[in-house]
Amino acid sequence: MKIAILNGSPRAVNTSAMVNAFAEGAREAGHEVEILHVGRMKINGCLACEYCHTKGEGTCVQKDDMDKVMPAYKEADMIVYASPIYYFTMAAQTLAAIQRVYAIGKPAKATKSALLLSSGSPGVYDSAIAQYKAMLAYTGVEDTGIFTAAGEENGSEAKLNEIREFAKTL
């Protein structure tokens, strides 16, 4: 199975540790994993210009790093969204990438998804999880798991092992 991980963290700390644990477990299970560091890419927000649906045939009018993300997104059998929580929702960098896939609407091949969220505080995930679940309901993609790490859970071997072991079961 081809797995594309959209890592929306602009820093290589807590979210990246979760992403790396997931990737390690998935690769150990024989899956092909591509990590896309969307948090460090130049991805503009959607302009809602509808070019993608009127003239662009699923291609966005904007030319930025989303051109590097879209091929992996289209070919993936599974999409993993990973983001730190910034003020009760996913990081803006993560949201920009998610919103830009509007150009193609539903994933071309993906039938599975997972969500990895990290934060400094517990109890701040509701908005991000609600958005994720609504997106999956729209696209018809199956949620295989939601993992959160708050405070001292971030980077803990117990949390990383939980994620790694989960990825091995895919």
Side-chain angles (χ1 to χ4, degrees):
M1 174 167 54
K2 284 187 177 183
I3 302 172
I5 303 176
L6 277 59
N7 180 357
S9 180
R11 304 179 321 135
V13 189
N14 299 324
T15 304
S16 292
M18 295 173 79
V19 164
N20 292 336
F22 183 95
E24 182 182 316
R27 287 180 179 132
E28 192 173 315
H31 302 296
E32 181 183 331
V33 178
E34 184 171 359
I35 301 171
L36 301 149
H37 296 280
V38 298
R40 292 189 228 140
M41 293 180 178
K42 175 67 174 147
I43 299 175
N44 299 316
C46 178
L47 299 173
C49 67
E50 290 298 321
Y51 176 87
C52 57
H53 294 139
T54 57
K55 298 175 187 166
E57 299 178 1
T59 302
C60 184
V61 70
Q62 300 184 77
K63 301 302 170 210
D64 58 16
D65 286 340
M66 197 64 191
D67 292 339
K68 299 173 185 174
V69 175
M70 200 59 90
Y73 186 86
K74 287 179 179 177
E75 288 299 314
D77 302 301
M78 179 177 191
I79 311 285
V80 177
Y81 301 93
S83 182
I85 295 293
Y86 292 163
Y87 208 66
F88 301 97
T89 193
M90 289 185 239
Q93 296 89 333
T94 311
L95 293 173
I98 288 171
Q99 291 170 0
R100 288 285 297 284
V101 299
Y102 170 73
I104 62 167
K106 300 176 182 184
K109 293 175 59 181
T111 59
K112 298 176 184 283
S113 185
L115 180 65
L116 309 174
L117 299 171
S118 65
S119 74
S121 304
V124 294
Y125 304 106
D126 291 349
S127 177
I129 291 170
Q131 180 179 12
Y132 169 75
K133 288 182 176 181
M135 181 175 57
L136 295 188
Y138 169 74
T139 60
V141 174
E142 173 194 357
D143 169 43
T144 61
I146 297 171
F147 296 87
T148 62
E152 292 181 9
E153 285 181 318
N154 283 302
S156 74
E157 202 51 44
K159 180 56 71 173
L160 298 179
N161 277 335
E162 176 187 359
I163 294 167
R164 195 176 295 113
E165 291 303 314
F166 163 74
K168 289 179 186 179
T169 67
L170 298 170

